[in-house]
Amino acid sequence: MTEPILHLTLVLGGARSGKSRHAEALIEALPPPWAYIATAQAWDDEMTARIAEHRARRPADWITLDAPLDLPGAIRGLPEGRPVLVDCLTLWLTNLILAEQDTAAVGRALLEACAQATAPLVLVSNEVGLGIVPDNALARRFRDEAGRLHQAIAARAGRVIFMVAGLPMQVK
């Protein structure tokens, strides 16, 4: 069995479950400076507003990096010892699928980057496997790949938290 990555935390939950705020609080409990790696892309006005809301609630001690595709490279490129929050894996996975990248290979590269990180790392992701089976092939592929990615990360993470209605439930 592969060694667990003790400094790695996975925070899962549904939309508006409090995932991001909880993840921010976990990182802010550590000494700054903190790094926020954002995977979102602002394709429309509504997403632009969501991104602005996330940025506005973070204090100036955060540095923000945009990594819509090369998340492993962004993690590896940070200074040693800097706590990192990644928000979010499902947006990143969407970007990879739309860019027709090998999601399994990039997922393995993400786990390698997490294992090499020297500071606490919190990954946020949407749990999408609790609903109905999607009615189209792309949505089913996304759901399946997200589930596989979550399982791989959870297996290696030192801690897994599931958010429900703003309440953290420690799973691991």
Side-chain angles (χ1 to χ4, degrees), residues 52-128:
E53 175 189 332
H54 273 249
R55 284 184 186 254
R57 75 170 180 237
R58 290 192 303 273
D61 291 325
W62 287 89
I63 63 155
T64 301
L65 303 167
D66 291 311
L69 292 172
D70 188 13
L71 180 54
I75 291 170
R76 285 191 300 270
L78 287 168
E80 283 193 28
R82 181 168 296 195
V84 180
L85 186 154
V86 173
D87 199 357
C88 87
L89 295 180
T90 42
L91 286 173
W92 175 66
L93 181 61
T94 299
N95 298 338
L96 294 175
I97 290 171
L98 294 176
E100 299 181 356
Q101 292 202 15
D102 181 345
T103 56
V106 180
R108 288 189 298 276
L110 172 63
L111 278 169
E112 289 170 16
C114 291
Q116 294 168 359
T118 59
L121 182 57
V122 177
L123 307 179
V124 175
S125 199
N126 289 286
E127 178 51 67
V128 297

